[in-house]
Amino acid sequence: MKMLRRKGFRQSVIRDEVASTDAVMFNRVWRGVRETVLAYSESEALAYRVRAEDVDAADPFTVDPDRRMWHRGGEFLEVARQLLALPPPPGHSAFPAAGLA
């Protein structure tokens, strides 16, 4: 959880009405891309990357599979590590565009 917060993810607790359970959500949006980890427990989590306009922020549990850029389910630590290990989305860079020459 600390590694996600250090990488700019915001943490909150939200209710999944379909599953009738609470989940810890880690979420960040950068340059129009939303990355989310939903943790139900240590052994059950979902992580995905999607364009920000392709997800309803009020319902992070429902994302059109055809719109997801990447997704995984499994143990919390594993899906969080996989999400953080992804390369930047197309058109993004870890370096600022200005000043490089």
Side-chain angles (χ1 to χ4, degrees), residues 21-94:
T21 187
D22 292 332
V24 178
M25 179 174 74
F26 296 88
N27 187 51
R28 73 177 173 187
V29 178
W30 185 63
R31 291 187 175 178
V33 174
R34 179 179 298 272
E35 295 179 324
T36 302
V37 179
L38 297 165
Y40 294 97
S41 67
E42 288 181 29
S43 62
E44 186 180 4
L46 170 69
Y48 60 84
R49 177 187 277 179
V50 66
R51 287 175 193 80
E53 68 267 12
D54 289 339
V55 68
D56 178 2
D59 184 12
F61 300 98
T62 306
V63 180
D64 182 346
D66 294 334
R67 304 250 180 213
R68 291 183 289 208
M69 301 166 77
W70 176 91
H71 74 282
R72 291 290 184 278
E75 293 185 5
F76 171 74
L77 287 176
E78 185 59 30
V79 298
R81 282 186 188 123
Q82 289 179 26
L83 178 64
L84 291 174
L86 289 175
H92 290 69
S93 173

